[in-house]
Amino acid sequence: MSIELDPEGHEIDALAELVPTLDGARVLEVGCGNGRLTRRYAHRARSVVAFDQDEAAIATFRGAIPGTLRERLDVRVGSVATIELPPQVFDVVLLSWSL
Amino acid sequence: MVDALDRTRAWLAAEGTLVDFHPTAEPVHLEVGTNNGVALVGDLRDDESSRGPRSRHAQAEGAIATVLTRRWFQRKAWRELSFRHYAGDVPEMRSYTEGEWNDAHFDAGTWRLAATLIRKDPGARLWLREEATIATYVHARPD
């Protein structure tokens, strides 16, 4: 078997409980890695910008984006210190294990 | 980390929500589940560097405390959660762990004990249990 991470869905359940405003939101995810968490909530968002400085992880993420999510996902390589993003446009900013 | 929170503050809409997931102070546990219950096999230990999960927890907590003190954000809600990473066998788990945590490790005795427990019960399951905190913040409002 391959690694199964949180098949019980506790992580995504906690996100849904604490962030009911995720539905239809413009989301920015900082430190998305290979998109493990992003793929589990992106269908609820209006749009998601997700970035990570790990190029290999982003390549894995891009290769695994389902067709149903491609239009709403913008996946980038970058760090929080250098990435250029417009101010005050994101309804939800998610620090995904990145602090 | 405080600088990162300053940047996220700029990106967040006026009525937006900042969400932070980070590990608690509890170490990641390696456990084996059998018909007789769950055995705690060992704990993930930080290496000498300051980048292991327990050190990261302390740094994240410090950064959050700083931005709350500076009144950049106010906390809206938080809770702890526990989740598992499952592997099929000890070598797979060991490889996964070494890839995920460059700055922490399980000691050799932990891996030996896990292998022994799995051998004794072919139906046993092997997992990591990770404890985390999720918290939400909004822009601080004037008193």
Side-chain angles (χ1 to χ4, degrees):
Chain A
M1 72 180 276
S2 58
I3 297 292
E4 286 183 87
L5 181 46
D6 191 27
E8 295 88 358
H10 293 162
E11 195 179 23
I12 201 70
D13 286 350
L15 184 64
E17 178 188 325
L18 261 67
V19 194
T21 55
L22 198 59
D23 290 318
R26 295 160 297 185
V27 179
L28 171 66
E29 185 176 345
V30 179
C32 61
N34 62 13
R36 172 186 66 77
L37 183 61
T38 325
R39 286 191 297 273
R40 298 177 114 177
Y41 73 76
H43 65 283
R44 294 179 51 194
R46 179 196 308 177
S47 62
V48 179
V49 176
F51 70 88
D52 200 291
Q53 56 190 347
D54 184 337
E55 292 185 24
I58 290 295
T60 300
F61 187 176
R62 286 180 173 145
I65 298 173
T68 52
L69 295 180
R70 285 191 188 281
E71 286 193 2
R72 72 184 72 188
L73 265 177
D74 175 0
V75 180
R76 307 182 190 181
V77 175
S79 76
V80 71
T82 60
I83 197 161
E84 294 293 333
L85 294 164
Q88 297 190 318
V89 300
F90 296 100
D91 305 305
V92 174
V93 175
L94 174 58
L95 302 174
S96 185
W97 308 93
S98 50
L99 271 185
Chain B
M1 287 184 179
V2 172
D3 290 344
L5 287 164
D6 194 19
R7 290 216 80 195
T8 62
R9 183 170 65 135
W11 294 324
L12 188 64
E15 302 299 324
T17 302
L18 173 69
V19 185
D20 171 46
F21 274 107
H22 71 253
T24 68
E26 184 78 7
V28 176
H29 302 298
L30 183 66
E31 296 178 336
V32 172
T34 69
N35 289 334
N36 297 320
V38 175
L40 171 60
V41 184
D43 293 338
L44 188 71
R45 300 182 186 284
D46 284 13
D47 296 335
E48 293 302 313
S49 80
S50 61
R51 294 168 54 200
R54 299 193 76 178
S55 299
R56 281 183 49 207
H57 158 77
Q59 292 163 9
E61 290 287 310
I64 292 290
T66 297
V67 302
L68 293 177
T69 300
R70 292 182 183 177
R71 298 193 52 77
W72 291 359
F73 294 107
Q74 59 191 58
R75 182 155 24 211
K76 194 172 166 192
W78 77 279
R79 59 167 282 196
E80 292 190 349
L81 64 141
S82 173
F83 60 95
R84 293 171 175 176
H85 316 230
Y86 294 89
D89 54 32
V90 170
E92 183 179 51
M93 182 62 89
R94 191 165 187 167
S95 173
Y96 172 70
T97 302
E98 289 169 0
E100 286 290 303
W101 288 279
N102 295 325
D103 306 289
H105 68 280
F106 290 104
D107 61 32
T110 295
W111 293 119
R112 280 196 299 273
L113 177 56
T116 299
L117 292 171
I118 296 282
R119 265 199 309 274
K120 283 183 180 172
D121 183 347
R125 296 208 69 185
L126 177 66
W127 64 75
L128 301 174
R129 179 164 55 85
E130 189 166 1
E131 307 290 331
T133 297
I134 177 174
T136 57
Y137 304 86
V138 294
H139 290 291
R141 304 283 184 253
D143 292 329

